[in-house]
Amino acid sequence: MILWFTLTQVVVAAAAGVLCIVLGLAGRRPSDLTVGALALIEVLLIAQVVMGIVAPMLGNSPSGNPLEWWVYLIGALLVPPAAVAWALLERSRWSTVVLGVGALAVAVMVWRMEVIWTVQLA
Amino acid sequence: MDADMTTAPRRRITGIARVLIVVYGVMALAATGRSFVQIVGEFDQAPLAYSLSAASALVYILATLALIFSRSAVWYVIAWVAVLFELAGVLVIGTLSIVLPDLFQHPTVWSLYGNGYLFVPLVLPVFGLWWLWRNRSGGSADDTADTEAEVAGSTW
């Protein structure tokens, strides 16, 4: 993985998560802004898929378990569409909070992926 | 229950319950992913811990579904069982992982009371039980009021 891109993803996902939870608790329904934030996260994740395939070919291989890394990435890819689907099905303020929880989960998962890729404790 | 569903549809899934369901969903995803990796990659290293991982993943999936469908009486009971199972799991495995660390060298979702997951596995069942207890008599009046207020106060 490339550290600056990881940090970009984590910051975007965490910021989107906080934004959605604050707006949701303030009573806003899902909007272009909050759904768009999740769409942005998904785009970054798809870019991460491409980088995950290309990086090892260029000599940047994961030092940890590649299977574990991919399971995290595929899991993370599922989260924004699921949260957005919920927001489209049920447009209440709690759906905005749901978007935020999903975004925060992606932030944690991407950070965990960076750790799997680079840091080996054993 | 069927009559209740036609007159007051989906009133058990309100407010905080939605967030609860989503956090359960995320935990189900995390536990499933982890146990998949453990079982495919290195099952023979720690069959007990990894079987528990798989079991916890299945129960998280079950609990998520049960909460979503908790309007139905059957799923409501399943939700109780699944959430109680989880609470027991995190308490028993969490304690065992401290008392008998040899058995649990390889992590499960429940090891050390779920500290690898920010203690979410420990807190979540308590919230789940609280919510199930509060909604034991079917859709309550304040839930309906909450929804009406949401619709009236909507800005979008």
Side-chain angles (χ1 to χ4, degrees), chain A residues 27-32 65 67-68 71-72 75-76 78-79 86 89-95 97-98 101-102 105 108-109 112, chain B residues 10 13-19 21-23 26 29 32-34 36-37 40-42 117-118 146 150-156:
Chain A
R28 303 287 191 87
R29 297 187 167 206
S31 64
D32 288 351
N65 184 349
L67 175 66
E68 193 178 1
V71 167
Y72 266 98
L78 297 175
V79 172
W86 188 319
L89 283 173
E90 187 193 300
R91 306 210 301 198
S92 77
R93 61 192 171 124
W94 288 103
S95 295
V97 177
V98 166
V101 173
V108 172
M109 292 169 88
R112 179 82 188 112
Chain B
R10 65 184 314 170
I13 306 181
T14 57
I16 199 74
R18 298 181 180 105
V19 178
I21 289 167
V22 168
V23 178
V26 170
L29 186 66
T32 307
R34 164 168 246 169
F36 174 77
V37 169
V40 169
E42 43 188 27
Y117 292 83
L118 307 170
D146 180 42
E150 263 174 40
V151 173
S154 159
T155 53
W156 191 67

